Amino acid sequence: MEFFRIKRDIPFMSYGKLTTAISLITFILAVAFLVIKGLNFGVEFTGGTVMELRYQQGADLNQVRTQVEHLKYGEAQVQALGTTRDVMIRLPNIKNKTSAQLSNEVLTVLKSERPDVELRKVEFIGPSVGEELVTHGLTAITLVCLGIIAYLAIRFEWRFAVSAVIANMHDVVIILGCFALFQWEFNLTVLAGVLAVLGYSVNESVVVFDRIRENFRAPKMRGKTVPQVIDNAITATMSRTIITHGSTEAMVLSMLVFGGSALHGFAMALTIGILFGIYSSVLVASPLLLMFGVTRENMVKPVKIKEEAVV
């Protein structure tokens, strides 16, 4: 389905050096923020105390959050568990205070406003568990990247695989750099968002790469240069890109605005990832194909057109 059709190809590749330079600068800045400021890891990674509470009637999460913040325990999370009657509170580790002491102090403060609150469960997450989650998260990202490389190398050609992975890692590093710059909390939901962006971004790259491969085999593109073939492929998929990413971004923005604190990190990671995913698929991955020397001759299994059959 197309809402519009662009008659003339947009010369994206003529700006390839500029966009590559911009991408390199943003990549370096993101890495610098990660090194200098670091990620603000959540309780799942650093360890802490998790409390599950139940109210007889629905609780005001903002009020609960304000009461917990008055205790000045640091970055505490308050979110609903299915309904507003069930509330989960995550507290960071506090020196010289046990998990039982923290939960009792929080419960005392909450009961001063709402006596109907009761403590259902308290769990302590040790730092060793957090380190294990970090290791598993990095392993998951590595396995996803290796899977993407293998898939694209089999379906297309190694130049396409390397270009797509570089573009995807560009998106991941930019997301992490934004979280490091603004010190947004990095928790398991954000990690899930990063992994979702990896799959989402490679899907856009595959769509563009598919059209590039078709153009290389199309008779009407025989006299075109490689940059012109790529420009035509990107232009031809623009309507699909706008429809797909526009609708997805609208849904993600609604989660960001109306989803509350529980979905804020996840939605923020997806919002940044979708925007940069479009940019990297068009203006990072495609120029890299030129840098790696993609031609008609080195395409996988080129289709031979039998011209002698045409009378």
Side-chain angles (χ1 to χ4, degrees):
M1 182 176 67
E2 291 183 340
F3 284 161
F4 58 87
R5 183 182 293 273
I6 302 174
K7 296 182 179 179
R8 292 186 178 181
D9 295 341
I10 301 174
F12 290 103
M13 293 303 100
S14 62
Y15 305 103
K17 293 182 179 180
L18 175 62
T19 57
T20 303
I22 294 174
S23 300
L24 182 60
I25 292 173
T26 54
F27 183 89
I28 293 174
L29 288 175
V31 172
F33 292 137
L34 286 171
V35 173
I36 296 172
K37 305 189 72 172
L39 291 172
N40 179 24
F41 288 108
V43 175
E44 298 96 331
F45 296 107
T46 59
T49 301
V50 179
M51 301 174 57
E52 291 187 12
L53 307 170
R54 169 163 288 184
Y55 288 82
Q56 295 299 322
Q57 297 180 352
D60 185 350
L61 295 181
N62 291 328
Q63 182 181 3
V64 175
R65 192 174 294 110
T66 301
Q67 290 177 279
V68 175
E69 288 176 353
H70 284 330
L71 294 172
K72 297 181 180 180
Y73 286 153
E75 195 72 30
Q77 298 179 28
V78 178
Q79 64 187 72
L81 289 174
T83 66
T84 55
R85 290 181 56 200
D86 297 315
V87 178
M88 182 174 66
I89 300 177
R90 297 180 182 179
L91 304 170
N93 285 323
I94 306 296
K95 291 183 178 180
N96 303 322
K97 285 192 178 184
T98 65
S99 179
Q101 290 175 329
L102 289 174
S103 60
N104 289 333
E105 291 178 5
V106 172
L107 189 61
T108 301
V109 171
L110 295 179
K111 280 190 172 182
S112 64
E113 293 287 338
R114 292 284 301 272
D116 61 332
V117 62
E118 63 178 270
L119 182 63
R120 300 291 301 276
K121 185 171 65 173
V122 178
E123 292 181 351
F124 173 73
I125 302 175
S128 60
V129 177
E131 293 178 1
E132 184 178 353
L133 289 174
V134 172
T135 303
H136 289 341
L138 294 175
T139 303
I141 293 177
T142 302
L143 291 176
V144 169
C145 292
L146 292 176
I148 291 172
I149 291 175
Y151 167 73
L152 292 179
I154 294 172
R155 179 168 180 178
F156 296 99
E157 203 248 354
W158 69 266
R159 295 173 177 82
F160 288 85
V162 174
S163 299
V165 169
I166 292 176
N168 285 1
M169 294 311 299
H170 165 271
D171 300 339
V172 171
V173 173
I174 293 298
I175 294 173
L176 298 180
C178 289
F179 273 80
L181 172 62
F182 298 105
Q183 285 297 287
W184 294 326
E185 184 179 7
F186 188 88
N187 49 36
L188 287 178
T189 59
V190 177
L191 177 61
V194 172
L195 293 175
V197 166
L198 276 172
Y200 189 87
S201 181
V202 76
N203 176 69
E204 180 63 25
S205 298
V206 167
V207 171
V208 176
F209 288 171
D210 254 332
R211 184 55 65 94
I212 292 174
R213 182 172 59 179
E214 291 174 4
N215 280 357
F216 274 123
R217 297 172 176 176
K220 65 178 182 179
M221 289 289 169
R222 284 187 176 181
K224 303 290 185 179
T225 62
V226 174
Q228 289 174 332
V229 170
I230 297 177
D231 289 337
N232 179 268
I234 297 174
T235 304
T237 57
M238 279 194 65
S239 178
R240 176 259 176 205
T241 298
I242 293 174
I243 294 172
T244 303
H245 294 286
S247 58
T248 307
E249 191 70 22
M251 180 272 294
V252 172
L253 287 174
S254 66
M255 284 197 301
L256 181 64
V257 176
F258 303 108
S261 59
L263 293 176
H264 185 269
F266 177 75
M268 182 62 72
L270 284 179
T271 300
I272 300 172
I274 290 174
L275 292 176
F276 278 93
I278 301 171
Y279 171 82
S280 64
S281 298
V282 174
L283 299 175
V284 177
S286 298
L288 286 175
L289 292 178
L290 296 178
M291 294 177 59
F292 290 138
V294 169
T295 62
R296 286 185 176 85
E297 288 72 20
N298 56 37
M299 295 296 294
V300 175
K301 297 179 181 179
V303 177
K304 296 181 179 181
I305 300 175
K306 297 181 180 180
E307 296 181 354
E308 63 273 9
V310 180
V311 180

